[in-house]
């Protein structure tokens, strides 16, 4: 387990850039945590590391956005899904088992279909430590 703390969105983005160095094609990161906890900020950092400068926008309606670059990054946001069946998630395998990096916001909504090698990153706030404080735990 690794634990990080950030106090600005830019720091969370920088953490994404830094941790991207340890990611190889095929990696799957489950990004877990409430609304506004910094999951997308973290994704921006990973796309900074691998992408070609394209701006990251949340794939809330499309479920997944693809960023081309030195390594493709597949950015999922499955906020709107509620434990769909394995069959309904079949299409995701094309991403999970491709030569890119999958980042999945709200991954607990589809935890039944996540591959075993998925790494979990939990984002949380702590109001006692200020509005912009975030704790980020990698399990
Ligand atoms: N330390 C921090 N890390 C990340 N974001 C922060 C931090 N402090 C403040 N913020 C603000 O919190 C918000 C985080 O938004 P972000 O879209 O990254 O969250 P999210 O977890 O993806 O939310 P959602 O579940 O709605 O997709 C932004 O408005 C950002 O400016
Ligand atoms: Mg988000």
């Amino acid at each position: 387990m690794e634990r990080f703390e950030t106090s600005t969105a830019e720091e969370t983005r920088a953490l994404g850039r830094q941790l991207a160095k340890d990611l190889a094609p095929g990696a799957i990161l489950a990004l877990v945590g409430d609304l506004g906890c910094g999951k997308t900020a973290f994704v921006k950092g990973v796309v900074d590391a691998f992408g070609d400068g394209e701006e990251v926008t949340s794939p809330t309606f499309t479920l997944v956005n693809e960023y081309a670059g030195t390594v493709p990054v597949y950015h999922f946001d499955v906020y709107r899904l509620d434990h769909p069946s394995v069959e309904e998630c079949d299409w995701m395998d094309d991403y999970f088992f491709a030569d890119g990096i999958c980042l999945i916001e709200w991954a607990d909504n589809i935890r039944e279909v996540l591959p075993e090698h998925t790494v979990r990153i939990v984002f949380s706030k702590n109001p006692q430590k200020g509005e912009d404080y975030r704790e980020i735990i990698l399990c």
Side-chain angles (χ1 to χ4, degrees):
M1 192 188 99
E2 278 182 280
R3 184 172 165 276
F4 304 91
E5 296 175 305
T6 67
S7 50
T8 64
E10 183 44 50
E11 273 180 40
T12 298
R13 183 172 183 154
L15 181 67
R17 273 198 298 273
Q18 183 196 322
L19 295 184
K21 293 177 189 155
D22 297 326
L23 298 177
I28 301 177
L29 302 187
L31 309 181
V32 176
D34 274 343
L35 290 166
C37 271
K39 301 179 296 296
T40 300
F42 181 90
V43 170
K44 287 178 180 174
V46 175
V47 172
D48 286 341
F50 295 116
D52 55 12
E54 209 181 327
E55 200 176 328
V56 169
T57 54
S58 280
T60 310
F61 294 95
T62 53
L63 295 180
V64 62
N65 284 341
E66 304 184 29
Y67 297 93
T70 50
V71 178
V73 176
Y74 307 121
H75 175 203
F76 288 71
D77 186 330
V78 296
Y79 179 73
R80 291 153 56 82
L81 300 186
D82 181 17
H83 304 278
S85 68
V86 173
E87 290 74 26
E88 285 172 289
C89 295
D90 261 355
W91 62 273
M92 295 180 189
D93 283 350
D94 291 344
Y95 294 93
F96 295 162
F97 299 103
D99 262 353
I101 288 164
C102 290
L103 303 168
I104 310 168
E105 296 193 39
W106 295 96
D108 279 353
N109 290 357
I110 58 161
R111 63 173 162 262
E112 298 81 1
V113 301
L114 293 174
E116 217 164 304
H117 65 282
T118 301
V119 170
R120 195 176 156 88
I121 305 185
V122 180
F123 295 74
S124 52
K125 298 183 186 179
N126 181 343
Q128 289 177 341
K129 296 200 174 178
E131 202 182 314
D132 293 345
Y133 172 90
R134 301 290 186 274
E135 182 187 53
I136 299 162
I137 293 178
L138 210 145
C139 321

